[in-house]
């Protein structure tokens, strides 16, 4: 994922959590915050120690980043997105996780 698409600062995550809307399924929670100052969309991923060790957490982050990267041309501009990974996502393969990510993004209606 390119640097311009990343959400990195703690303040940005906090702003999205406090002011954004949340959408969830069994594997993921998605927070969406409209950000008119941002040129494109930005993505942050949170995976706590509850879901597994560092290998598992980083694998989930990499998979979600790749899924979002492939959908980048379909996602609306001027939004900040934060994905929170739940325990159920760790047992899923790539295709099932991609369906889950697309499902929660459709619920949030962030596709163009």
């Amino acid at each position: 994922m390119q640097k311009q698409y990343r959400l990195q600062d703690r303040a940005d995550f906090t702003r999205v959590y406090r002011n954004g809307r949340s959408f969830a399924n069994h594997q993921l929670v998605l927070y969406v915050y409209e950000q008119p100052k941002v040129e494109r969309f930005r993505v942050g991923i949170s995976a706590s120690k509850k879901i597994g060790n560092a290998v598992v957490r980083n694998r989930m982050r990499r998979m979600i980043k790749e899924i979002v990267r492939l959908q980048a041309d379909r996602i609306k501009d001027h939004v900040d997105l934060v994905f929170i990974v739940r325990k159920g996502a760790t047992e899923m393969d790539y295709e099932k996780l991609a369906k889950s990510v697309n499902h929660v993004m459709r619920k949030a209606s962030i596709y163009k």
Side-chain angles (χ1 to χ4, degrees):
M1 175 116 351
Q2 296 174 359
K3 193 169 188 171
Q4 64 194 11
Y5 296 117
R6 285 191 225 146
L7 198 61
Q8 293 181 339
D9 296 336
R10 182 176 176 87
D12 290 335
F13 275 84
T14 305
R15 183 180 315 111
V16 173
Y17 290 142
R18 287 190 180 154
N19 303 322
R21 297 175 302 148
S22 67
F23 304 89
N25 59 18
H26 292 292
Q27 295 82 24
L28 300 165
V29 179
L30 172 63
Y31 282 89
V32 179
Y33 178 61
E34 302 288 331
Q35 183 74 300
K37 294 185 285 186
V38 178
E39 186 176 314
R40 296 282 311 229
F41 69 92
R42 297 187 300 175
V43 176
I45 300 168
S46 175
S48 75
K49 289 185 177 182
K50 291 178 187 178
I51 68 165
N53 61 12
V55 174
V56 173
R57 295 192 308 267
N58 289 330
R59 181 174 171 269
M60 290 291 107
R61 286 190 198 108
R62 286 193 309 270
M63 287 172 61
I64 292 173
K65 283 180 190 177
E66 179 64 13
I67 293 164
V68 171
R69 185 187 70 81
L70 293 174
Q71 301 293 326
D73 57 338
R74 296 178 53 200
I75 298 174
K76 290 180 185 176
D77 296 333
H78 311 295
V79 294
D80 286 344
L81 309 171
V82 174
F83 287 93
I84 299 175
V85 182
R86 289 182 169 172
K87 184 86 170 152
T90 58
E91 294 99 27
M92 301 178 85
D93 61 348
Y94 180 82
E95 289 80 22
K96 289 182 182 177
L97 186 63
K99 284 184 180 180
S100 180
V101 169
N102 286 331
H103 174 257
V104 78
M105 289 171 74
R106 266 187 273 119
K107 278 177 77 170
S109 65
I110 61 166
Y111 285 131
K112 292 179 183 174

